[in-house]
Amino acid sequence: MKYKFILSFVVIVSVIISLLVYEKKNKIDHILNKHSKDFRAFYNAVYKQYKEEANIIFKTVVDNNKIIDIYTKIKNSDKKTKDIQRKVLYNLIKDEYSSLKFVSIRQLHFHLNNNISFLRMHRPNKYGDNLTDVRLTVKYVNQFHKNIDGFEEGRIFNGFRFVFPIMDKTKHLGSVEISFSADAIISKLTKEYNKDCNLHISKAIVDEKIFLEEKTNYTQSPFAGFLIDKEVYRMIYKKDFDINTKSMPSKKIRNIAIEHIKNNSNILSLYDSKIDKVVTILPILNPITGEKVAFISSKNNIIAIENLNKSFWYISILVILTLFLIFFYIYKQQKYKNELEKSLENQKKQILKEQNKNREKDRLLYQQSKMASIGEMIENIAHQWRQPLSIISTNASGLIVQNEFNNLTNSMLEKSLEDILNTSNKLSKTIDEFRNYFQSSGTKDKINIDNIINKSIYLLSSKLEDNNITIKKNTIDTDIFALESEIIQVVLILLNNSIDALKNIDKKDNLILINLDKKNEESKEYLILDIKDNGGGIQSDDINKVFEPYYTTKHKSQGTGIGLFMATQIITKNMGGSIVATNEEFVYNDISYFGANFRIKFLINDSVK
């Protein structure tokens, strides 16, 4: 048993630690993806800023009549003319070029329309070389007469180049390149992220394009196959580049980065546990060929990952200690297993016993509720049947008496039997009405509201007669889309409420007035049902509480306070309407009365119009 517990402990700890490792990796991946997006977004914003600056410089410094005039003069001219105009162009913009260096301009380079270098403002003595195979952006602009921009290695410098065509209206004369030093963009990235950022340029590209005497400006990058521009690094960090093995990314990370650059163009962020930093690789593409010519690297301390690593170790240690204590406890308690199982079995039996008691209570409550509904139905049927049964009894007794005295005639027999038959049909109709009410289909349908009111009055006709109550209707013939039994239930509740208010009042005329009308509000048609009585109204302290559950102004033997609450639920929740209670003084047949009025208002469904 001891070895089984040890094996179980090792397996569970291994599984949990594996899950923690997996969860940590997912969270780190999420952090890295967000970091990559933020880094790319900031790079794009910085690049856009310099692109806008290049456009401004072109429009304010280059795109003017004097330079266009110089280009017009050198077109198809001899060497002497070109040399003269080159000096003129240099003197024309040298002051402005000097001031532009403060905004990180590295090159202002003019080219002829055949891709021959005409004037390098940074190296005015270097000109006349053909850039066709070296500077594809220059070739593109002179060929298609369209702007282009991107990172490109040149004969002397690399940089983020913005090349524009020089045009005399529609006539193409040549091109000009406005180039920003890579340190301008890298410096902004370094400042934003407050960490180590560098530009790494493809060694193959440098070897192919750069002048031989300029190659000393480059040194080996930590990433195989790439070089660092020493001047760019010096401009950013104010010191010479030195490969520091302690801060260098691990060989694994460098290999992954190089492989990624070969096969992908998207940004990549990796966590390097060797230096405890996030290494970000942003490939830079040639704007013409799409070839990966360089990449920007960044090494960052990300607090979220540091905290995640700390949390991982804390949680791992806590899990191991917790599991150890749990297993130790289980092991120590194993000898009490039989007693514990017996105790659990007894508890199970007790729970089952309590559950059976609760089921019996539920069954009794359901039965009581069912019996209450049946009792109410029987009471209403008894009211309805009292007079018909009296008629049947009277006719049957009369027939017996007349027969005993030999006074029974055929006409008397036929009349009595007809009365008994008609009364029996009335009793059958009463049963049908109550059955229809209690056996609703539960499905909303198109119903006539006036018929609903008549059915409700019929169901309560005996109670109305017993209490000498007169109902007066003023209704319209209209249909609604609703559940018939619910509408009947609401009308019955309101009518019973009025009957209860009237039956204990000694008056000559007990009235219930029912008014049904339509009303248009805000281009919508509403149905308004008013049921009012002359029972004296509702006390002012009670009128705002009558719709609350279990609130009643009657003795508890006469009311439960649930009726008006149920009516409110049906009207507001099931039909989307409203119900309000008010006290009103009204006039009927030139006589003034005072009592409660219940008003129901709901929207007439379009489907029944």
Side-chain angles (χ1 to χ4, degrees), residues 20-34:
L20 289 173
V21 170
Y22 178 77
E23 180 68 15
K24 184 184 81 164
K25 180 181 180 302
N26 285 342
K27 289 182 178 180
I28 288 177
D29 288 345
H30 177 75
I31 294 169
L32 294 177
N33 287 336
K34 184 180 183 304

PDB file of all heavy atoms in Angstrom, residues 20-34:
ATOM      1  N   LEU A  20       0.403  22.954 -15.312  1.00  0.00           N
ATOM      2  CA  LEU A  20       0.881  24.300 -14.975  1.00  0.00           C
ATOM      3  C   LEU A  20       1.861  24.813 -16.028  1.00  0.00           C
ATOM      4  O   LEU A  20       1.837  25.993 -16.398  1.00  0.00           O
ATOM      5  CB  LEU A  20       1.537  24.294 -13.601  1.00  0.00           C
ATOM      6  CG  LEU A  20       0.599  24.112 -12.398  1.00  0.00           C
ATOM      7  CD1 LEU A  20       1.408  23.958 -11.108  1.00  0.00           C
ATOM      8  CD2 LEU A  20      -0.363  25.285 -12.285  1.00  0.00           C
ATOM      9  N   VAL A  21       2.732  23.924 -16.492  1.00  0.00           N
ATOM     10  CA  VAL A  21       3.688  24.297 -17.544  1.00  0.00           C
ATOM     11  C   VAL A  21       2.941  24.689 -18.818  1.00  0.00           C
ATOM     12  O   VAL A  21       3.267  25.689 -19.472  1.00  0.00           O
ATOM     13  CB  VAL A  21       4.670  23.137 -17.826  1.00  0.00           C
ATOM     14  CG1 VAL A  21       5.497  23.414 -19.074  1.00  0.00           C
ATOM     15  CG2 VAL A  21       5.584  22.923 -16.629  1.00  0.00           C
ATOM     16  N   TYR A  22       1.948  23.882 -19.164  1.00  0.00           N
ATOM     17  CA  TYR A  22       1.146  24.161 -20.366  1.00  0.00           C
ATOM     18  C   TYR A  22       0.422  25.505 -20.246  1.00  0.00           C
ATOM     19  O   TYR A  22       0.410  26.314 -21.182  1.00  0.00           O
ATOM     20  CB  TYR A  22       0.143  23.029 -20.567  1.00  0.00           C
ATOM     21  CG  TYR A  22      -0.780  23.222 -21.744  1.00  0.00           C
ATOM     22  CD1 TYR A  22      -0.343  22.996 -23.049  1.00  0.00           C
ATOM     23  CD2 TYR A  22      -2.099  23.631 -21.543  1.00  0.00           C
ATOM     24  CE1 TYR A  22      -1.201  23.185 -24.129  1.00  0.00           C
ATOM     25  CE2 TYR A  22      -2.948  23.825 -22.617  1.00  0.00           C
ATOM     26  CZ  TYR A  22      -2.504  23.595 -23.903  1.00  0.00           C
ATOM     27  OH  TYR A  22      -3.345  23.788 -24.971  1.00  0.00           O
ATOM     28  N   GLU A  23      -0.161  25.747 -19.063  1.00  0.00           N
ATOM     29  CA  GLU A  23      -0.874  27.009 -18.834  1.00  0.00           C
ATOM     30  C   GLU A  23       0.092  28.195 -18.884  1.00  0.00           C
ATOM     31  O   GLU A  23      -0.211  29.249 -19.454  1.00  0.00           O
ATOM     32  CB  GLU A  23      -1.571  26.951 -17.475  1.00  0.00           C
ATOM     33  CG  GLU A  23      -2.349  28.209 -17.105  1.00  0.00           C
ATOM     34  CD  GLU A  23      -3.565  28.424 -17.969  1.00  0.00           C
ATOM     35  OE1 GLU A  23      -3.987  27.472 -18.674  1.00  0.00           O
ATOM     36  OE2 GLU A  23      -4.106  29.541 -17.952  1.00  0.00           O
ATOM     37  N   LYS A  24       1.288  28.012 -18.293  1.00  0.00           N
ATOM     38  CA  LYS A  24       2.288  29.089 -18.318  1.00  0.00           C
ATOM     39  C   LYS A  24       2.696  29.395 -19.759  1.00  0.00           C
ATOM     40  O   LYS A  24       2.814  30.558 -20.150  1.00  0.00           O
ATOM     41  CB  LYS A  24       3.508  28.694 -17.483  1.00  0.00           C
ATOM     42  CG  LYS A  24       4.556  29.805 -17.386  1.00  0.00           C
ATOM     43  CD  LYS A  24       5.790  29.366 -16.632  1.00  0.00           C
ATOM     44  CE  LYS A  24       6.719  28.587 -17.521  1.00  0.00           C
ATOM     45  NZ  LYS A  24       8.080  28.456 -16.982  1.00  0.00           N
ATOM     46  N   LYS A  25       2.914  28.348 -20.542  1.00  0.00           N
ATOM     47  CA  LYS A  25       3.313  28.532 -21.939  1.00  0.00           C
ATOM     48  C   LYS A  25       2.239  29.308 -22.704  1.00  0.00           C
ATOM     49  O   LYS A  25       2.545  30.219 -23.481  1.00  0.00           O
ATOM     50  CB  LYS A  25       3.546  27.177 -22.604  1.00  0.00           C
ATOM     51  CG  LYS A  25       3.978  27.277 -24.063  1.00  0.00           C
ATOM     52  CD  LYS A  25       4.178  25.908 -24.677  1.00  0.00           C
ATOM     53  CE  LYS A  25       4.604  26.014 -26.140  1.00  0.00           C
ATOM     54  NZ  LYS A  25       3.621  26.750 -26.962  1.00  0.00           N
ATOM     55  N   ASN A  26       0.966  28.944 -22.488  1.00  0.00           N
ATOM     56  CA  ASN A  26      -0.120  29.647 -23.179  1.00  0.00           C
ATOM     57  C   ASN A  26      -0.155  31.119 -22.797  1.00  0.00           C
ATOM     58  O   ASN A  26      -0.358  31.994 -23.650  1.00  0.00           O
ATOM     59  CB  ASN A  26      -1.464  28.992 -22.856  1.00  0.00           C
ATOM     60  CG  ASN A  26      -1.655  27.674 -23.577  1.00  0.00           C
ATOM     61  OD1 ASN A  26      -0.972  27.392 -24.562  1.00  0.00           O
ATOM     62  ND2 ASN A  26      -2.580  26.863 -23.104  1.00  0.00           N
ATOM     63  N   LYS A  27       0.030  31.399 -21.516  1.00  0.00           N
ATOM     64  CA  LYS A  27       0.007  32.798 -21.068  1.00  0.00           C
ATOM     65  C   LYS A  27       1.203  33.568 -21.623  1.00  0.00           C
ATOM     66  O   LYS A  27       1.060  34.735 -22.025  1.00  0.00           O
ATOM     67  CB  LYS A  27      -0.010  32.859 -19.537  1.00  0.00           C
ATOM     68  CG  LYS A  27      -1.329  32.404 -18.932  1.00  0.00           C
ATOM     69  CD  LYS A  27      -1.313  32.518 -17.425  1.00  0.00           C
ATOM     70  CE  LYS A  27      -2.656  32.114 -16.830  1.00  0.00           C
ATOM     71  NZ  LYS A  27      -2.662  32.209 -15.345  1.00  0.00           N
ATOM     72  N   ILE A  28       2.370  32.928 -21.646  1.00  0.00           N
ATOM     73  CA  ILE A  28       3.554  33.587 -22.209  1.00  0.00           C
ATOM     74  C   ILE A  28       3.350  33.846 -23.698  1.00  0.00           C
ATOM     75  O   ILE A  28       3.691  34.925 -24.206  1.00  0.00           O
ATOM     76  CB  ILE A  28       4.819  32.734 -21.966  1.00  0.00           C
ATOM     77  CG1 ILE A  28       5.204  32.781 -20.478  1.00  0.00           C
ATOM     78  CG2 ILE A  28       5.986  33.229 -22.824  1.00  0.00           C
ATOM     79  CD1 ILE A  28       6.394  31.925 -20.123  1.00  0.00           C
ATOM     80  N   ASP A  29       2.779  32.866 -24.403  1.00  0.00           N
ATOM     81  CA  ASP A  29       2.494  33.050 -25.836  1.00  0.00           C
ATOM     82  C   ASP A  29       1.567  34.242 -26.054  1.00  0.00           C
ATOM     83  O   ASP A  29       1.751  35.024 -26.996  1.00  0.00           O
ATOM     84  CB  ASP A  29       1.865  31.783 -26.425  1.00  0.00           C
ATOM     85  CG  ASP A  29       2.874  30.656 -26.569  1.00  0.00           C
ATOM     86  OD1 ASP A  29       4.086  30.938 -26.493  1.00  0.00           O
ATOM     87  OD2 ASP A  29       2.456  29.495 -26.735  1.00  0.00           O
ATOM     88  N   HIS A  30       0.560  34.360 -25.188  1.00  0.00           N
ATOM     89  CA  HIS A  30      -0.368  35.494 -25.300  1.00  0.00           C
ATOM     90  C   HIS A  30       0.360  36.820 -25.079  1.00  0.00           C
ATOM     91  O   HIS A  30       0.154  37.792 -25.821  1.00  0.00           O
ATOM     92  CB  HIS A  30      -1.484  35.327 -24.269  1.00  0.00           C
ATOM     93  CG  HIS A  30      -2.449  36.471 -24.247  1.00  0.00           C
ATOM     94  ND1 HIS A  30      -3.407  36.664 -25.226  1.00  0.00           N
ATOM     95  CD2 HIS A  30      -2.585  37.504 -23.371  1.00  0.00           C
ATOM     96  CE1 HIS A  30      -4.092  37.762 -24.947  1.00  0.00           C
ATOM     97  NE2 HIS A  30      -3.620  38.290 -23.826  1.00  0.00           N
ATOM     98  N   ILE A  31       1.220  36.859 -24.063  1.00  0.00           N
ATOM     99  CA  ILE A  31       1.995  38.076 -23.778  1.00  0.00           C
ATOM    100  C   ILE A  31       2.920  38.397 -24.953  1.00  0.00           C
ATOM    101  O   ILE A  31       3.046  39.560 -25.367  1.00  0.00           O
ATOM    102  CB  ILE A  31       2.805  37.898 -22.483  1.00  0.00           C
ATOM    103  CG1 ILE A  31       1.861  37.787 -21.276  1.00  0.00           C
ATOM    104  CG2 ILE A  31       3.776  39.060 -22.280  1.00  0.00           C
ATOM    105  CD1 ILE A  31       2.551  37.353 -19.987  1.00  0.00           C
ATOM    106  N   LEU A  32       3.562  37.373 -25.507  1.00  0.00           N
ATOM    107  CA  LEU A  32       4.474  37.584 -26.637  1.00  0.00           C
ATOM    108  C   LEU A  32       3.734  38.089 -27.862  1.00  0.00           C
ATOM    109  O   LEU A  32       4.223  38.975 -28.575  1.00  0.00           O
ATOM    110  CB  LEU A  32       5.208  36.269 -26.963  1.00  0.00           C
ATOM    111  CG  LEU A  32       6.172  35.741 -25.889  1.00  0.00           C
ATOM    112  CD1 LEU A  32       6.759  34.411 -26.316  1.00  0.00           C
ATOM    113  CD2 LEU A  32       7.293  36.747 -25.623  1.00  0.00           C
ATOM    114  N   ASN A  33       2.556  37.525 -28.125  1.00  0.00           N
ATOM    115  CA  ASN A  33       1.763  37.980 -29.278  1.00  0.00           C
ATOM    116  C   ASN A  33       1.369  39.441 -29.117  1.00  0.00           C
ATOM    117  O   ASN A  33       1.435  40.223 -30.071  1.00  0.00           O
ATOM    118  CB  ASN A  33       0.509  37.113 -29.430  1.00  0.00           C
ATOM    119  CG  ASN A  33       0.828  35.721 -29.958  1.00  0.00           C
ATOM    120  OD1 ASN A  33       1.849  35.518 -30.612  1.00  0.00           O
ATOM    121  ND2 ASN A  33      -0.030  34.762 -29.667  1.00  0.00           N
ATOM    122  N   LYS A  34       0.961  39.813 -27.911  1.00  0.00           N
ATOM    123  CA  LYS A  34       0.601  41.211 -27.667  1.00  0.00           C
ATOM    124  C   LYS A  34       1.818  42.118 -27.820  1.00  0.00           C
ATOM    125  O   LYS A  34       1.732  43.208 -28.408  1.00  0.00           O
ATOM    126  CB  LYS A  34      -0.008  41.353 -26.267  1.00  0.00           C
ATOM    127  CG  LYS A  34      -0.505  42.770 -25.973  1.00  0.00           C
ATOM    128  CD  LYS A  34      -1.103  42.860 -24.593  1.00  0.00           C
ATOM    129  CE  LYS A  34      -1.668  44.259 -24.347  1.00  0.00           C
ATOM    130  NZ  LYS A  34      -0.699  45.320 -24.530  1.00  0.00           N
TER     131      LYS A  34
END
